[in-house]
Amino acid sequence: MKIVVTSGSPDTDLQMISSLLRAGGLADPRASGKAPEDTIQAWHHRLMTSRRSKKEPAISPFSPGKAWEQALGDIFLANLDQNCWGWADARSTWLLDFLSDYDSQFCFVLVFDSPQAAIRLTLLSEEEFTPESAIDTWLNYNHELLHFYNRNAERCILVNANDCLSHPKA
């Protein structure tokens, strides 16, 4: 069994990259066997909401506690019979070390894009961001991706989002 975590910055189109992986045979993760609403997306959402409520920084690597580890274990167990499954979520960027330590079956697709793309998406979005904040976010995420990649190259692939989307068959 392989578990593929696709991660990058929030301004990268991770869902398009994920659709390419699914077309190649990657299965979506099933929800926990305990509750159908316990999906990997819900796990990420609850975990990040919990950090915000404790006033912990949202943009920094961290290792969740035992309860979060057990909740992930329930999702993991629900997917044991899948040969290759995974997800795409920018929030996983801050959990790369945790996930790599959690199980050796995790491998990672680390997706980067240019700072110009981050600014372009910021300007097109309806949220109130400045180009400066877009660059700061881009720097924080991409620094973490490169830092993790340099320590775990045997379990990672580092890809340019634009190249993937321009040449999907490659």
Side-chain angles (χ1 to χ4, degrees):
M1 171 175 56
K2 286 286 182 200
I3 305 145
V4 180
V5 177
T6 304
S7 190
S9 66
D11 49 56
T12 305
D13 195 347
L14 295 177
Q15 296 313 314
M16 285 299 292
I17 304 296
S18 181
S19 70
L20 296 175
L21 294 170
R22 284 193 308 278
L26 182 71
D28 286 324
R30 294 184 194 122
S32 158
K34 292 184 175 182
E37 66 274 2
D38 286 344
T39 64
I40 195 67
Q41 294 81 11
W43 181 83
H44 278 88
H45 177 74
R46 287 191 311 267
L47 177 58
M48 295 306 174
T49 301
S50 166
R51 286 183 59 79
R52 280 193 299 273
S53 69
K54 295 176 185 173
K55 307 287 190 243
E56 294 178 19
I59 298 185
S60 65
F62 68 99
S63 190
K66 206 56 142 170
W68 296 106
E69 190 174 311
Q70 290 172 345
L72 179 62
D74 292 339
I75 295 168
F76 191 89
L77 289 173
N79 288 280
L80 275 179
D81 64 335
Q82 297 203 78
N83 288 333
C84 190
W85 61 278
W87 68 87
D89 197 309
R91 298 170 293 191
S92 291
T93 301
W94 309 117
L95 301 164
L96 294 171
D97 287 323
F98 166 75
L99 293 169
S100 72
D101 290 343
Y102 185 85
D103 196 282
S104 62
Q105 297 174 90
F106 278 102
C107 54
F108 304 89
V109 177
L110 307 176
V111 184
F112 68 93
D113 213 339
S114 70
Q116 294 87 345
I119 291 172
R120 183 181 66 249
L121 286 174
T122 299
L123 294 174
L124 293 174
S125 87
E126 295 185 15
E127 297 182 34
E128 292 189 28
F129 289 110
T130 64
E132 293 80 14
S133 68
I135 292 297
D136 286 345
T137 299
W138 182 90
L139 283 169
N140 286 326
Y141 275 85
N142 284 281
H143 175 268
E144 185 58 26
L145 294 175
L146 290 172
H147 183 69
F148 182 79
Y149 177 79
N150 284 327
R151 291 177 290 117
N152 299 280
E154 70 284 351
R155 292 173 65 185
C156 300
I157 183 169
L158 185 63
V159 299
N160 179 283
N162 189 47
D163 287 347
C164 289
L165 298 174
S166 297
H167 310 287
K169 293 192 192 271

